[in-house]
Amino acid sequence: MLKGIRAELSGDILQALCDMGHGDSLVISDRNFPSDSIARQTRLGRLLTMENIPAPQAIDAILSVFPLDTPIQPSAGRMEVIGKPNEIPPIQQEVQAIVDRAEGKPSPMYSVERMAFYDIAAKAYCVIATGELRFYGCFLLTKGVIPMEDVR
């Protein structure tokens, strides 16, 4: 255990988050997403897991150490509901609240059509599979930078 690091964050996940650079993206997936096959196509090339927790809890833990990209571009994305691109299911509403809290202001997630999400996910840095059972619990997070004055 490390002081100040949430227990949900394994050493492998912390290493991947640290190794990512500005503009790299990661996928947080639910149990229905083809996580392993997509993860094999990513830069990391293997699946990371947070198996026993829901996606919102995983994202909350990740955002405790992970800077999202600047407000100039979208930094958090969600998989669209098939045929209803403007529908935001409860799980996505929960994650939106977590993103807003982490950013300290409203930071609307962008939506990605399901098949396009798979294509984007395959080009991500890594995939982190969660134990999320609800549909549409798949998200993209793009890494930002930490200003020099915020580095301890």
Side-chain angles (χ1 to χ4, degrees), residues 4-123:
I5 302 293
R6 289 184 49 167
E8 298 100 318
L9 300 172
S10 69
D12 285 344
I13 289 173
L14 287 169
Q15 185 67 56
L17 297 178
C18 185
D19 289 346
M20 291 174 68
H22 179 227
D24 282 340
S25 61
L26 67 93
V27 177
I28 306 300
S29 65
D30 62 27
R31 296 283 302 259
N32 292 298
F33 189 75
S35 299
D36 187 62
S37 61
I38 295 289
R40 291 171 192 262
Q41 300 172 60
T42 65
R43 294 196 203 265
L44 187 63
R46 65 185 175 89
L47 181 63
L48 300 172
T49 62
M50 296 174 89
E51 296 173 356
N52 297 317
I53 63 173
Q57 182 180 344
I59 290 171
D60 193 44
I62 289 165
L63 292 181
S64 73
V65 296
F66 186 85
L68 288 173
D69 207 354
T70 66
I72 296 170
Q73 62 187 23
S75 57
R78 62 179 181 83
M79 182 186 284
E80 286 181 0
V81 175
I82 295 172
K84 300 177 182 178
N86 295 322
E87 182 177 323
I88 302 175
I91 183 169
Q92 294 181 357
Q93 293 173 27
E94 289 173 38
V95 170
Q96 182 65 68
I98 291 165
V99 169
D100 291 349
R101 186 174 66 246
E103 292 298 283
K105 63 180 187 271
S107 299
M109 288 189 287
Y110 61 94
S111 64
V112 181
E113 185 273 329
R114 180 175 160 245
M115 296 313 292
F117 190 100
Y118 292 158
D119 292 338
I120 292 168
K123 296 173 186 162

